[in-house]
Amino acid sequence: MMKLIIEYAYTGFVPVTQDNIQELFIAADRFDVKGIIQVCSDHLEEQLAPQNCIGIGQFTDVYYHPELKRKAFLFTLNHFEEVAATSEEFLLLSAEELVNIIENDQLNVKKEKTVFEAILRWIAYAPEERREYISLLLSNVRLALMSPEYVIDSITENELVKACKECGPILLKTLDAMLALRTRRFTDSIFYNPLARPRLPPAILLAVGGWSGGSPTNGIEAYDVRADRWINVANQEVLRAYHGAAFLNGSLYCVGGFDSVEQFSTMYRFDLGTHTWQEVAPMHTSRCYVSITVMDGYIYAMGGYDGQDRLETAERYLPSTNQWTLIAPMHDQRSDASCTTLHSKVYICGGFNGAECLSTAECYNPETDQWTVISSMATRRSGIGVIAYADHVFAVGGFNGTSRLHTAEAYNPYTDTWHAVPSMLNPRSNFGIAVLDHRLFVVGGFNGFTTTHDIECYDVEAGEWSDVCDMEISRSALSCCVVYGLPNLAEYAAPRHSLQFSGEEDEVQ
């Protein structure tokens, strides 16, 4: 180790391997060689996995490195389901360490029963010495977010729970909170109740700009899928509709669009960490009704309307150089189309060419800089929503030249075929579309009579659409994107409250 440290002093390089990393980290920590500590920390961060994240976090308790400890803990929270199911390290946690994990609002679990089942697995590893912790652990599970059937059949009938007299009051408070949730009473007070407070989502859906009340809006709303709530979070730098929005490297980009007077080539970047706007490089062409997507670190902008013509041109933006570069033009002129990425290709479908609504579709391969025509959709769709979901390209809603559509279809890239999927509950065109929490969301739009604030989502496993909490404002011609991986993601979620659940609060609950 000393030889490696001395060589690093002369060369600035140290070979880090799985075999030597722990010993090297310890030696560098002893002699306070910050460069080697950072190299080892970066290597450990790259190696984080459900099977080792707890051990790496505990390692930093002994050899102090707060940033690595934070990242290891966040990894544990974000991958909790796999950690709890597969990690041997999870079984060796102390009760205090387990509480520290399961009480955290950022714990990422799709169903809260996963937390209870993880507790049972932990206790079963050493039942005689751990059964006494059941009430402490149970009080940190969001029991009221489970189904009543699961609580009654699986939790109240569990032998550990039945044998613990402290669990009784917890279950009574749970039933009270469940009743409050289901009757929609005191909905804000639920956020004060640790048995009912929704956990923070791993990602947030943003609805950006659009057309509202006869004019463009600059409002941005955020949807918190765990709390099923919309929150006003920011305003765009400029009023715009028929634009594109994209999330890349911690920033929201708003591209092109229309303000009822002018078609824009401009693009603005919103830093989601600092809440600040900045105008960045404009596109080569003004584009409203533009189609936007992100792939391999680039923002792609295709088609649109420049005030005179429907466009077949396309370009892409690289943030590190702040430059737009033209790519091969599409086969068809398309405004009001929609696009997505799947298997390292860009797919664009439908739209309007100036004369008719389109059913055609094509895909772009960046390796060859070529567009390829693919099978046409079954229906002409302008003002369409297109998104990659469940290994298919979904084409949803739109306008066929006569009426707004609620039908949807999906493209299989392996067979170059389209097939019908269940129709939306409501017809709509010019809406936002995104995939969040393994479901496909459609947001707002125009239903043929008015702009709308209603939202619905499609679950491919259930094969059905269901209603979601409405937006605060009605809007069409908006753009949606999903943001994730932000250190300050909680700022874009419904506010949680960390008050203790005490007897004084029972009346409020």
Side-chain angles (χ1 to χ4, degrees):
M1 290 300 110
M2 184 55 73
K3 180 173 181 288
L4 289 175
I5 289 171
I6 291 169
E7 286 177 353
Y8 174 78
Y10 282 95
T11 66
F13 171 77
V14 62
V16 178
T17 66
Q18 288 297 99
D19 294 331
N20 74 5
I21 186 166
Q22 189 165 332
E23 197 179 349
L24 185 59
F25 196 114
I26 292 167
D29 180 71
R30 175 177 293 177
F31 294 107
D32 197 27
V33 187
K34 290 185 170 59
I36 294 181
I37 293 172
Q38 190 60 52
V39 170
C40 291
S41 175
D42 292 343
H43 188 79
L44 287 169
E45 185 185 337
E46 289 170 8
Q47 301 301 314
L48 278 170
Q51 288 71 38
N52 67 16
C53 54
I54 290 172
I56 289 174
Q58 291 169 336
F59 181 73
T60 61
D61 286 335
V62 181
Y63 303 99
Y64 184 65
H65 198 285
E67 184 61 13
L68 179 59
K69 183 176 180 63
R70 185 185 69 84
K71 288 178 177 175
F73 186 63
L74 281 176
F75 188 96
T76 303
L77 296 176
N78 289 332
H79 298 84
F80 179 77
E81 294 188 6
E82 196 176 346
V83 171
T86 65
S87 168
E88 292 297 315
E89 296 175 345
F90 174 78
L91 299 174
L92 302 176
L93 288 168
S94 69
E96 183 183 3
E97 288 170 327
L98 181 54
V99 167
N100 197 32
I101 292 169
I102 66 172
E103 72 176 358
N104 198 293
D105 280 343
Q106 287 182 262
L107 189 71
N108 180 25
V109 285
K110 202 169 179 195
K111 294 189 173 165
E112 195 67 25
K113 72 175 187 176
T114 305
V115 185
F116 178 67
E117 288 163 2
I119 288 169
L120 296 183
R121 180 172 181 252
W122 179 83
I123 291 174
Y125 184 76
E128 294 310 312
E129 60 192 73
R130 292 181 175 181
R131 59 191 308 128
E132 65 180 281
Y133 296 112
I134 183 64
S135 62
L136 170 66
L137 296 168
L138 196 65
S139 66
N140 285 287
V141 182
R142 314 290 163 94
L143 295 167
L145 302 181
M146 299 181 184
S147 70
E149 296 78 17
Y150 186 84
V151 172
I152 292 166
D153 297 342
S154 298
I155 296 180
T156 60
E157 293 303 311
N158 180 273
E159 293 303 321
L160 287 167
V161 175
K162 285 165 76 172
C164 174
K165 66 178 189 296
E166 290 89 357
C167 290
I170 297 170
L171 292 171
L172 286 174
K173 288 178 178 178
T174 296
L175 295 173
D176 286 344
M178 280 181 163
L179 187 61
L181 277 172
R182 277 152 185 75
T183 54
R184 293 278 179 191
R185 293 182 302 118
F186 313 121
T187 50
D188 280 333
S189 71
I190 290 301
F191 285 89
Y192 290 87
N193 184 341
L195 293 170
R197 185 171 68 243
R199 297 192 188 272
L200 284 164
I204 294 282
L205 171 62
L206 296 183
V208 183
W211 205 267
S212 181
S215 60
T217 176
N218 63 353
I220 300 176
E221 291 181 71
Y223 177 66
D224 180 334
V225 68
R226 295 284 188 262
D228 190 26
R229 289 202 181 185
W230 287 91
I231 304 98
N232 287 308
V233 293
N235 288 328
Q236 287 185 92
E237 190 76 349
V238 293
L239 296 162
R240 62 178 69 194
Y242 300 106
H243 58 295
F247 173 67
L248 185 58
N249 302 335
S251 290
L252 167 69
Y253 290 84
C254 294
V255 188
F258 180 60
D259 67 353
S260 77
V261 177
E262 181 185 355
Q263 291 79 21
F264 293 117
S265 63
T266 52
M267 179 165 72
Y268 288 85
R269 181 177 76 87
F270 181 63
D271 186 315
L272 291 152
T274 61
H275 300 261
T276 54
W277 286 96
Q278 176 190 12
E279 186 172 358
V280 291
M283 296 179 288
H284 290 85
T285 310
S286 296
R287 301 179 190 271
C288 77
Y289 311 108
V290 63
S291 301
I292 297 291
T293 192
V294 171
M295 186 171 73
D296 297 334
Y298 288 92
I299 296 172
Y300 284 78
M302 290 150 288
Y305 178 63
D306 65 3
Q308 292 184 311
D309 299 307
R310 314 288 161 171
L311 304 172
E312 73 276 4
T313 59
E315 49 191 305
R316 67 182 190 178
Y317 173 80
L318 185 63
S320 59
T321 61
N322 190 31
Q323 284 188 324
W324 287 91
T325 306
L326 288 167
I327 60 173
M330 298 181 290
H331 292 273
D332 284 340
Q333 298 168 289
R334 298 177 191 273
S335 68
D336 238 351
S338 185
C339 64
T340 191
T341 61
L342 182 65
H343 302 155
S344 299
K345 291 182 179 177
V346 175
Y347 289 83
I348 188 165
C349 309
F352 181 66
N353 65 6
E356 61 181 354
C357 299
L358 301 172
S359 62
T360 59
E362 48 191 302
C363 73
Y364 175 75
N365 184 342
E367 290 186 2
T368 59
D369 188 30
Q370 285 185 323
W371 289 91
T372 303
V373 174
I374 61 173
S375 292
S376 292
M377 299 178 290
T379 306
R380 297 176 185 272
R381 300 177 187 272
S382 179
I384 180 181
V386 172
I387 197 79
Y389 176 54
D391 211 32
H392 286 70
V393 174
F394 277 69
V396 183
F399 178 64
N400 63 5
T402 306
S403 56
R404 267 69 198 178
L405 304 170
H406 57 77
T407 59
E409 49 192 305
Y411 174 77
N412 183 334
Y414 300 107
T415 60
D416 188 30
T417 55
W418 291 88
H419 64 270
V421 295
S423 295
M424 292 184 290
L425 304 175
N426 303 291
R428 65 183 82 214
S429 66
N430 298 103
F431 52 93
I433 189 166
V435 169
L436 179 70
D437 207 33
H438 308 294
R439 289 174 288 163
L440 188 163
F441 285 76
V442 292
V443 179
F446 184 71
N447 63 15
F449 304 99
T450 182
T451 56
T452 178
H453 52 45
D454 80 71
I455 321 295
E456 50 187 296
C457 71
Y458 176 70
D459 185 326
V460 72
E461 291 183 12
E464 61 185 21
W465 292 86
S466 53
D467 283 318
V468 180
C469 175
D470 292 344
M471 280 186 295
E472 295 287 320
I473 62 170
S474 297
R475 54 173 120 187
S476 67
L478 69 159
S479 190
C480 284
C481 63
V482 173
V483 304
Y484 52 88
L486 303 173
N488 63 329
L489 195 70
E491 294 174 14
Y492 297 92
R496 268 68 173 173
H497 305 284
S498 300
L499 300 185
Q500 292 301 308
F501 189 42
S502 63
E504 291 76 26
E505 285 183 71
D506 288 357
E507 291 180 7
V508 180
Q509 305 305 336

